[in-house]
Amino acid sequence: MTTTRDSITDFVGSLEDDISRIAICGTSYSDIGGVARVIEQQAVELRDEGYDIEIFTLEGTRKPPEDVSLHALGHFETSPYKEVDKLLTLASPSALNFVRSANRFDLIIAHRFPFSTLGHAAKVVHDVPYVYWSHPSGSSDELFEGLAHIWARVQHHLETKNYAVRKADYLCAVSEESGEYIEAKTGREAIVVPNTITESRFEDVADEETINERFDLTPEDTVVLHVGRISPRKNIHKLIEVFQAARQEEADCKLLLVGEESMPEYSECVREQAGDDVVLTGFVDDETLAGVYNRSDVYATCSLSEGWGLPLSEASYFDLEIVAFESIPAVKSLSNAHQVAEENYDEFSEKLNAVLDAGTMTTEEDD
């Protein structure tokens, strides 16, 4: 039977070890990426419960929460595809120093490689309890070509079947689906700890007039929102297709794509596909993001693979109706989510259209 904990503090509090100082580790602590948001949420929640928290990452461009230290180990850049250089990080002076000084912590929480390996090394050297926090629900190598394809397969192995993952003191997953997946890879039961949002991120909300002016919206526009990097894994090109099929390019309906364009070739294809009814915003700060959520009418995503789907939780926080494939774990926990059979794009378009029509009717009745 799968063990479930309500929160990160519930999980840490259930451990038998006497824990005070915790290291939370992840590849990147920046303004993009769902894992960085999870790390932030965990740091804030544990800090508020009185734990002494430090964040370790390869690159950290985001300001850490108050009273939380941030350490960026850095990484090598020896190849055109810098993701591969994560392998070299294991031999860097900063990584070795992390392991050498890890005995000052009572618990290490590692998100993704290479901190899975570094966490295991700290466990071996200092006997510090090490938690591996699993996010993936499947390999995404089929979405890439060349070196990126090879690395996606290698990284997936390092984050599922690798010895350092299998030998963690505790194995946690962000959803039941992710838990079942990592259990199948490791042969070990995972503890499920669902993601939650950090409400303090959204204390400041940009007003509607500011959002309309910045993204060329009119007060009459109905807005469909997607938050996440512009990448094949997020299936952005299919989202544009189903949006345009649902609304048939109605002038008063816009698709707002909020996220970093980190893959130039794919972004160029998306921009060529997008019409005047699709707006790519790039990265936005938290105040603007809160304003965008508040301004939008529906949240939609065609992503096929998510460990949890944190933007869906954020959209629900702002009372948005949500349309998403049933394979995304967050969908099952949200009462305002409309589930679509995986890769059934006709059904997706129909449900999106129905939700938009219902919202339009409600607005007209309120007027």
Side-chain angles (χ1 to χ4, degrees), residues 258-297:
V258 178
E260 188 81 7
E261 296 181 46
S262 56
M263 302 178 69
E265 290 185 7
Y266 182 72
S267 293
E268 184 178 350
C269 292
V270 167
R271 286 187 173 276
E272 290 177 354
Q273 176 190 11
D276 293 337
D277 54 353
V278 179
V279 181
L280 284 85
T281 73
F283 166 77
V284 301
D285 58 45
D286 285 345
E287 181 177 350
T288 302
L289 180 60
V292 167
Y293 275 124
N294 199 49
R295 169 65 181 85
S296 299
D297 301 281

Side-chain angles (χ1 to χ4, degrees), residues 234-253:
K234 300 298 183 182
N235 216 9
I236 302 297
H237 59 291
K238 296 301 293 188
L239 176 60
I240 293 174
E241 286 183 15
V242 298
F243 166 76
Q244 293 177 335
R247 303 317 287 168
Q248 297 181 356
E249 300 185 4
E250 291 185 15
D252 61 347
C253 191

Side-chain angles (χ1 to χ4, degrees), residues 138-145 148-149 152-153 232-233 304-305:
S139 177
S140 59
D141 60 279
E142 73 280 357
L143 300 175
F144 305 100
E145 297 179 351
H149 171 82
R153 296 191 67 176
R233 186 167 186 167
L304 297 171
S305 178

Side-chain angles (χ1 to χ4, degrees), residues 18-131:
D18 184 15
I19 296 171
S20 177
R21 304 191 70 181
I22 302 174
I24 306 178
C25 313
T27 306
S28 175
Y29 189 75
S30 64
D31 290 315
I32 60 174
V35 176
R37 298 301 193 188
V38 174
I39 291 173
E40 178 183 56
Q41 173 261 316
Q42 291 182 344
V44 169
E45 190 173 334
L46 289 168
R47 177 208 62 191
D48 290 347
E49 290 296 318
Y51 294 97
D52 187 359
I53 306 299
E54 296 185 35
I55 296 173
F56 290 84
T57 183
L58 299 186
E59 52 185 1
T61 59
R62 184 175 180 81
K63 183 179 179 181
E66 187 176 355
D67 297 326
V68 174
S69 300
L70 174 65
H71 309 276
L73 274 60
H75 58 75
F76 293 98
E77 293 189 20
T78 61
S79 70
Y81 187 66
K82 70 177 184 178
E83 289 289 303
V84 177
D85 295 326
K86 292 176 184 176
L87 291 168
L88 301 177
T89 300
L90 298 175
S92 69
S94 56
L96 296 175
N97 186 59
F98 168 81
V99 174
R100 188 182 304 115
S101 61
N103 59 341
R104 61 197 180 92
F105 296 106
D106 305 309
L107 184 70
I108 294 174
I109 299 174
H111 298 261
R112 298 200 181 282
F113 176 84
F115 284 101
S116 51
T117 299
L118 294 176
H120 178 258
K123 163 185 164 63
V124 171
V125 174
H126 298 296
D127 198 29
V128 180
Y130 146 59
V131 183

Side-chain angles (χ1 to χ4, degrees), residues 310-321:
L310 194 57
L312 279 73
S313 297
E314 294 174 351
S316 180
Y317 176 75
F318 283 90
D319 296 323
L320 295 185
E321 295 293 308

Side-chain angles (χ1 to χ4, degrees), residues 5-9 34 37-42 45 133 174 193-199 201-202 308-311 313-314 317:
R5 299 296 180 187
D6 293 334
S7 65
I8 180 67
T9 52
R37 298 301 193 188
V38 174
I39 291 173
E40 178 183 56
Q41 173 261 316
Q42 291 182 344
E45 190 173 334
W133 215 275
V174 297
V193 186
N195 287 338
T196 58
I197 69 170
T198 306
E199 294 185 12
R201 286 181 56 211
F202 302 127
W308 174 255
L310 194 57
S313 297
E314 294 174 351
Y317 176 75

